[in-house]
Amino acid sequence: MKNELIAKSYEPECVEQKWYAYWETNGLFRGEAVSDKTPYCIVIPPPNVTGTLHMGHALNNTLQDILCRYKKMKGFNVLWQPGTDHAGIATQNVVEKDLAAKGTDRHAIGRERFIELVWEWREKYGGLIINQLKRLGCCCDWSRERFTMDEGLSRAVREVFVRLYEEGLIYRGDYIINWCPRCHTALADLEVEHREKDSHLYYVLYPFQNGGGHITVATTRPETLLGDTAVAVNPDDDRYRDLPDTHVLLPVLGKPIPIIFDRYVDMAFGTGALKITPAHDLNDFEIGNTHQLDRIKVIDENGAMNDMAGPYQGMDRFECRERIVEDLRAGGLLKKVEPYQNAIGHCYRCRTMIEPLLSKQWFVRTASLAKAAGDAVGSGKTRIFPANWEGVYFDWMNNIRDWCISRQIWWGHRIPAWYCRSCGAVQVAKEAPMRCPACEGQDLVQETDVLDTWFSSALWPFSTLGWPDPTPELKTFYPTSVLVTGFDILFFWVARMMMMGIHFMGDIPFKDVYIHALVRDAEGKKMSKSKGNVIDPLAVMDRFGTDAFRFTLAALAAQGRDIKLSEERILGYRHFVNKIWNAARFALMHLGNGEKPKPDQTAYTLADRWIMTRIGQVSRDVSRFIETYQFNEAAGLCYQFVWHELCDWYLEMAKEALYGEDGPVKESARSVIRETLTAALKLLHPFMPFITEEIWQRLPGTEGSIMTALFPDPAAFPGDEAALKEMDFLTGVITGIRNIRGEMNIPPSRNVSIVIDAGNSRDRDVLDRNLTYIRTLAKVDEVSIGQGLPKPDKSATAVFERTSVHVLLKGLIDFREEERRVRKEIGRAQNELEASRKKLSNRGFLEKAPEEIVAEVKARADGLAARLLKLKRNLSFLETLEDG
Ligand SMILES: [Zn+2]
Ligand SMILES: [Zn+2]
């Protein structure tokens, strides 16, 4: 590999596959259960087993990979724990769709066969997302891959369920579910199809109990008023400020019910007064809990009115609606009926209208768990980045409701509870019990509900490490170091991992939580299939290479700001990849035979001293940025350093020595090139794993994989302040001359003569020693340098504190011609500026054009104004030249 000729251009495809296989087969992804090194652990947010890599995954996993690779290079024992989530409903839906295509459904084939089919599906397609993560370069320890439904994790789930139940933290209680009265089954939210329907809004009068007037309530479902237990209004609603009574009478039944105040009530809907039916509506149920209202069920499992419905008992729910409307009208209690459009839930199988129904569900009692989870963040034990998410987290923890964990689907962890058919006793156990503890009966039947998918993922940070067994992995890697996730699952997942981790492990699950932003399109719009603005990460990797893609994501990942991604951006960083490749080609050309060059520090040039100092500084800053999750800053610094300092300045300056005669200066330059390139590759490796490995393997003096190399240690580089200052001055002078060349339109092929009036002997000394750089990099031939030299006739001047550099223009350019050219440019710039300003003063444009477009025009106008100023300055300068 060493000393091999390097291809002219970088071809990602084969390079990426080759090195990923190399890392994996050489065990470089492995975390050690027992090690002398400091542990560093990240548990992957498990992608759904049905998932395919989207931008969210790509960002999330690129950031984790950056952290893991960086920490490995810092000498840590890194475990990136991978796995997938069984994704209850999502996976069940996929398999159900297959069944539907074959003209059958899960009820027809039965629970057991259905679950078999899901496992078969998972065997066949479940590895897709894993392979895509590998494509992205993720250094997960695949030998430890877990699945939320695997044997070990299922055991952890049962253990947790049983313990929480025994501690009184799991209970059965009432909850509203989606019920299909035809299929006689509860439906998951996703199985309910909402369809817009023409219906009616009925305005019903609820008289005050004391006889003085009434409150008007608008409802789409008058038949449920039989189960009303309150009327709710918003406490901020002026219409209900001074009510004459605290109770109203329920129409038809004549029963008094209280008027309650709740901010949930939408003042803009109907009359601002809401009837509350806790047994037949989920929102009413929640309000009912807050106000401790009775739950009165008036509709039964068949969709018919039950014995609580008074005179309507036995009627079908739709018939009851008609009858009750007639009765209200007859009683003068129906104020009006308006046509109304609303989304009504229907059964996805039989299209029957869903009936929200009160039923027994399983809950986790969250108050004490949430308190501990809130305190852990409050005390700083777990830190959230960016910190503004802490407020959202506390808000949730303070207002948390008990967590309904049962789901009426088949794919998932079946709840480990058994009912006795003889006496009805409930038993919760890790394994199926043989007999009922109450009556000794053996006719036991297991709960048919499964657990919410988030129940098993809440255990992820410790279940994946082997819990409930006291494994060395748990001892080494728990608490984990950081969790990297999107804000959308802060509550569903992060908060619940905190609760479960603290409760079962006695310690927080992770020290840091890093919340990253969303990846949006170039205009900042959410990517969606219907908008057609989705960028497919796999297509992007094919086109630009994985390194360019990863680097783009990192460079745009500013804390608290959404990422506006476009292919142009990725293309821009693809150019950066090429730049690195070309720099490496150049360096390898001069490093030659595979032997490490031997430096002689006394032969170091200013450029050598400067770049060596800069590596130390940049390494320190990149480390600091990565460790504080400022990925964009870290990537930006790498970019700026490699492109502008290393390539633009150092390699250009080093050519002098490289193409010069053999000796200590040349040997030292070769050595510094090797050092700087090696360090730059290490800095870049966490972001661009593939190209850095490819170059690393060819560099003389490197051993093994760059993955196992140590990150550059700032202390190992000189802190040469004088070199920084001198280089700053020197590059300033060169840039100053280049600017004059550009502004005066001096052809690149022509050399210029300069006169330097050095302000003091130190400046003069620096320039004297580095004249060759000025000559080659600013295309200068004649140089006069001295102190107190006068400004020559017909010259343009750049000033650096006390030192002036005069560029002689006589004979180089035709002043008249140049003046004409500048005038023309001024005219053109003025016209463009006017057009932009006209646009900006156009009301219609400002109101209708998207924000980004307006900002773009503004920026353009600013740029033109600045350019115009410069051109005018040039013109008056040219005019003085002519006079002379
Ligand atoms: Zn149905
Ligand atoms: Zn029993």
Side-chain angles (χ1 to χ4, degrees), residues 180 182-183 347 349-352:
C180 174
R182 200 207 67 88
C183 300
C347 172
R349 293 175 59 209
C350 72
R351 312 274 179 261
T352 300

Side-chain angles (χ1 to χ4, degrees), residues 846-865:
L846 291 178
E847 276 162 18
K848 275 177 216 145
E851 230 173 274
E852 304 92 49
I853 303 287
V854 175
E856 214 173 87
V857 175
K858 264 187 190 146
R860 196 171 148 66
D862 289 347
L864 282 165

Side-chain angles (χ1 to χ4, degrees), residues 700-718:
T702 57
E703 270 169 35
S705 164
I706 190 170
M707 273 193 82
T708 55
L710 283 181
F711 205 71
D713 173 13
F717 294 92

Side-chain angles (χ1 to χ4, degrees), residues 420-425 436-441 444:
C420 172
R421 277 205 239 251
S422 322
C423 75
C436 169
C439 73
E440 296 284 309
L444 304 177

Side-chain angles (χ1 to χ4, degrees), residues 33 40 134 325 372 393 422 445 449 466 478 508 530 590 612 647 724 746 767 782:
Y40 183 85
K134 291 182 177 180
V325 168
Y393 176 85
S422 322
V445 57
D449 288 358
Y478 194 96
I508 50 166
S530 60
H590 290 280
M612 291 297 277
C647 294
L724 294 178
I746 297 169
L767 295 170
E782 256 175 79

Side-chain angles (χ1 to χ4, degrees), residues 567-588:
E567 297 206 346
E568 291 74 58
R569 291 267 196 178
I570 307 169
L571 179 64
Y573 288 112
R574 169 66 218 220
H575 293 150
F576 181 45
V577 170
N578 291 344
K579 186 84 185 173
I580 297 166
W581 187 252
N582 291 334
R585 266 171 61 83
F586 173 81
L588 288 169

